[in-house]
Amino acid sequence: MSSSTAQPTVTLPGDVRMPLLGFGTWQAHGESAHRAVTVAIEAGYRMIDTATAYGNEDLVGRAIADSGVPREDIFITTKLPAERVGREQRTIDESRQMLGVDQLDLWLIHWPPSRGGLVDTWHRMIEIRDAGQTRAIGVSNYSLAQIDELIAATGEAPAVNQIKWGPRLWDTAEVQGHHERGVVLEGYSPFKTTRLGDPVLNRIAETHRVSPAQVVVRWHIQHGIVCIPKSVTPARIRSNADVFGFELSDEEIAAIDAMGQ
């Protein structure tokens, strides 16, 4: 894989194309974060996920700049901490400076604000997007009821909801609910929410001569769910990206779905 065009994408409002495979950087710090993102880009990842709260936006930005890959070929996501509600403009200015970019591809509200302001924050996110500082906006860790509150107040749904996801969390109603609202589901912690030693995953992995982790990533992608595995180990980073040489059958996908029932 050499560019985002080699990977499947999902289209967000405004004709923004988001890769279904991304690289997560939570808990990646110091030079290990820079090295991990460097390896990820070399391995073919074209979407990098970070957050103000991770404290590594500057390292992520440096790795992206050092990669030599054109800016337009890398999709950058970062997030607004809930405690920075009311300081949205200052926060996105700092994020863009740290990342070394004029415009983000996707900006998420990291958690629902605990002191209210759910709708007010969403209004400000819309204003900042309309000002051209980010191509798309969304949320993270929101319930469908909270998303409905945003839609009812503004007429606009988040482009993405990033939530904890994996085979053992499979919920057909949750998936359908996001689809009905036009919200792309993005899953984080795909391996923490999965027992990789599960016989179902191992059987399917053996069939395709891949690892159970690769099966989990591929399962997300075939469902149209964005997946952002994370690691600072080069071999695992590369392996998690090597998921485009096999395809799960409908029966295999159904067997994995059943792990969440």
Side-chain angles (χ1 to χ4, degrees), residues 62-233:
R62 181 157 60 89
I64 290 171
D66 291 347
S67 73
V69 175
R71 166 68 185 95
E72 61 269 20
D73 287 347
I74 297 184
F75 190 102
I76 300 174
T77 300
T78 191
K79 309 178 192 76
L80 169 77
E83 63 270 19
R84 290 211 182 186
V85 165
R87 292 180 285 166
E88 293 85 0
Q89 187 61 62
R90 178 179 175 181
T91 301
I92 194 170
D93 287 345
E94 291 172 352
S95 289
R96 289 185 296 143
Q97 181 179 9
M98 287 276 207
L99 289 161
V101 299
D102 294 328
Q103 183 185 52
L104 303 177
D105 295 295
L106 177 63
W107 196 36
L108 306 177
I109 305 171
H110 208 153
W111 290 88
S114 59
R115 299 191 306 273
L118 199 76
V119 171
D120 288 343
T121 305
W122 188 237
H123 273 297
R124 287 190 284 270
M125 297 284 284
I126 293 171
E127 290 171 359
I128 287 171
R129 182 208 56 201
D130 290 349
Q133 295 164 56
T134 181
R135 298 169 68 210
I137 52 174
V139 296
S140 182
N141 301 299
Y142 274 52
S143 67
L144 289 175
Q146 289 168 325
I147 289 173
D148 284 341
E149 188 174 344
L150 301 183
I151 296 171
T154 67
E156 184 160 344
V160 173
N161 186 20
Q162 185 184 113
I163 62 176
K164 187 177 290 186
W165 196 256
R168 296 186 75 176
L169 296 178
W170 174 261
D171 183 332
T172 301
E174 187 81 8
V175 174
Q176 290 178 343
H178 281 79
H179 180 72
E180 289 165 359
R181 291 161 176 80
V183 180
V184 170
L185 186 60
E186 178 177 12
Y188 68 81
S189 296
F191 308 138
K192 281 193 172 184
T193 57
T194 304
R195 187 165 65 88
L196 293 177
D198 188 282
V200 171
L201 293 179
N202 276 269
R203 173 178 55 80
I204 295 171
E206 289 173 5
T207 299
H208 296 279
R209 298 183 180 180
V210 297
S211 70
Q214 288 171 305
V215 170
V216 171
V217 174
R218 183 71 201 184
W219 171 80
H220 280 74
I221 290 170
Q222 287 189 222
H223 268 304
I225 297 171
V226 179
C227 186
I228 48 172
K230 73 176 190 68
S231 178
V232 294
T233 305

